[in-house]
Amino acid sequence: MMFLFSYIVSTITSFRNFLYDKKILSINNISVPVISVGNVELGGTGKTPVVLYLSKLLLKNGYNPGIVSRGYKRTSRGQQLVSDGRQIFLNHKNAGDEPFLIAKSLIGVPIIVNKNRVSGSKYIIKHFGVNVIILDDAFQHRKINRTIDIVLLNSNTPLNKLKLFPLGLLREGFNNIFRSDILIVTKKNNSSSDKNLKFYKSLYFHNKFFSSNNFSLINPLSNEPINIKSLSKDVFAFCGIGDPVYFKRSLRSLNINICLFKSFSDHQNYSNLILNNLESIFSNQNIKSIITTDKDYVKLPLSFCKKFSILVLKIDFVFEDSFDNLILKML
């Protein structure tokens, strides 16, 4: 049954891409350069940190970028303004997890959520004077032309999972990565499989980059860094993201002793029931140090975060200078 379903997915996605490649389905042009950030995998590849990185790079070089996202799993409908670059107008439920987190992390960049990326792009250009559009999670959204098409691959995804869903973790055939302009292999670290890295290094791709990460622990209320040695002996960590294993490995790379780890489903909303269960764990296990991701933190009640002094693992992407230079050259 899984083989049949995978075959159906392959047929549909291949036919759809064929229609776009042959220009049978129209691709709309926008009046400003468009940078698309996306992937072919289900789960976390690090799109949000890359969108943040690009936004800051463009701001630093005199551009006025705007971000357009579909707002995956948001409760709102139609086009919504998440942020005008100064004020945030929606909560994480109405904006979607990633657009809300991006809005919390960026100043000076307007953010729109709209399933119709063409309409959203035109609106943000007209009303905010945007001169570069960044499309979040848009590799499969081929209705809009892009100046730079960036696709991400998680270096820690097992190679036997590079098959179409449900046999593997791919949204579309692996070879579709070659229609992009830039390939970024993300989450490369000391624990990455040598076999995986050898495979990704052997891929012939005109513009290929490996990104690594810098990790730090912060108090999100003050945005001050935390000395790892000040943590209690036993730490409880939890998350609701697409790649919980990477989060756990990242904490261990900082020599943080994790006594308990709880993984929720991706895009988890923290109901009162879940919060009460977490409180019970904290109390019963006498937990003093609690760590989560920034994506999860923004969905937790502030009173809950203050009560338990919840800390956040901050992840910064690190690229070679040649990546910055290439992006600016291609615009």
Side-chain angles (χ1 to χ4, degrees):
M1 183 60 72
M2 286 200 303
F3 283 98
L4 176 61
F5 190 78
S6 182
Y7 175 78
I8 293 171
V9 172
S10 174
T11 302
I12 292 171
T13 56
S14 296
F15 183 62
R16 179 176 177 272
N17 282 323
F18 170 81
L19 293 177
Y20 277 114
D21 291 340
K22 297 300 181 182
K23 297 182 171 52
I24 297 170
L25 291 178
S26 60
I27 300 176
N28 297 272
N29 289 311
I30 302 299
S31 59
V32 302
V34 174
I35 304 174
S36 167
V37 178
N39 61 15
V40 293
E41 298 178 55
L42 299 168
T45 54
K47 293 186 299 294
T48 299
V50 171
V51 169
L52 286 169
Y53 184 95
L54 289 169
S55 300
K56 293 173 182 176
L57 172 67
L58 294 171
L59 284 172
K60 185 172 66 176
N61 285 275
Y63 288 94
N64 182 26
I67 296 170
V68 179
S69 172
R70 65 173 169 160
Y72 181 63
K73 285 197 171 183
R74 63 187 170 109
T75 56
S76 63
R77 293 185 177 184
Q79 179 168 285
Q80 300 289 335
L81 177 63
V82 180
S83 170
D84 61 2
R86 299 181 301 275
Q87 181 180 352
I88 299 173
F89 299 101
L90 303 178
N91 60 25
H92 71 89
K93 291 181 180 179
N94 289 325
D97 295 351
E98 286 86 359
F100 182 74
L101 175 58
I102 293 169
K104 293 276 287 185
S105 306
L106 276 179
I107 297 174
V109 179
I111 302 168
I112 290 282
V113 287
N114 191 338
K115 188 176 180 180
N116 186 329
R117 315 291 177 93
V118 177
S119 177
S121 297
K122 290 180 178 178
Y123 177 90
I124 206 170
I125 292 167
K126 179 179 177 180
H127 292 274
F128 295 96
V130 163
N131 57 16
V132 180
I133 295 287
I134 299 175
L135 297 180
D136 175 38
D137 193 13
F139 189 62
Q140 286 75 34
H141 189 88
R142 299 191 62 184
K143 291 181 180 179
I144 184 169
N145 198 18
R146 59 282 316 268
T147 312
I148 306 175
D149 208 355
I150 301 175
V151 67
L152 279 56
L153 289 173
N154 183 348
S155 66
N156 298 299
T157 299
L159 298 183
N160 64 359
K161 293 294 183 180
L162 296 179
K163 302 172 186 174
L164 274 173
F165 180 82
L167 295 176
L169 296 174
L170 297 187
R171 303 179 182 187
E172 57 181 310
F174 184 80
N175 283 340
N176 284 292
I177 67 170
F178 294 103
R179 74 168 185 262
S180 66
D181 302 300
I182 297 174
L183 168 65
I184 302 176
V185 182
T186 64
K187 302 186 178 184
K188 176 177 174 289
N189 55 41
N190 293 332
S191 63
S192 297
S193 160
D194 289 339
K195 182 180 178 181
N196 282 22
L197 292 178
K198 184 177 179 180
F199 169 76
Y200 290 118
K201 287 177 180 177
S202 70
L203 279 177
Y204 177 75
F205 204 94
H206 40 291
N207 295 310
K208 180 173 62 177
F209 298 89
F210 287 81
S211 71
S212 56
N213 299 117
N214 284 334
F215 304 111
S216 58
L217 203 59
I218 65 165
N219 177 343
L221 296 174
S222 63
N223 208 34
E224 293 293 324
I226 299 295
N227 187 337
I228 305 298
K229 294 180 180 179
S230 69
L231 297 176
S232 62
K233 183 178 179 181
D234 295 319
V235 171
F236 176 77
F238 70 97
C239 66
I241 59 174
D243 191 359
V245 173
Y246 186 72
F247 174 57
K248 190 174 184 179
R249 286 177 179 171
S250 303
L251 293 173
R252 285 181 171 163
S253 74
L254 293 175
N255 296 317
I256 294 174
N257 181 45
I258 305 170
C259 70
L260 287 173
F261 185 83
K262 176 69 175 174
S263 173
F264 295 97
S265 59
D266 193 14
H267 298 278
Q268 179 69 57
N269 283 317
Y270 291 94
S271 64
N272 288 333
L273 178 62
I274 293 176
L275 294 174
N276 290 335
N277 287 339
L278 286 174
E279 280 202 50
S280 296
I281 295 173
F282 302 159
S283 176
N284 295 337
Q285 300 293 329
N286 195 28
I287 298 294
K288 302 297 182 186
S289 297
I290 304 160
I291 305 173
T292 191
T293 71
D294 51 3
K295 180 177 170 181
D296 291 286
Y297 185 86
V298 297
K299 295 188 286 184
L300 297 169
L302 185 58
S303 57
F304 182 85
C305 296
K306 287 182 176 179
K307 181 178 180 180
F308 298 105
S309 302
I310 294 179
L311 305 176
V312 166
L313 179 71
K314 183 176 174 58
I315 302 177
D316 292 315
F317 266 43
V318 180
F319 290 102
E320 309 156 51
D321 289 342
S322 55
F323 175 80
D324 295 8
N325 296 334
L326 178 62
I327 293 294
L328 297 173
K329 181 181 178 181
M330 292 179 71
L331 286 177

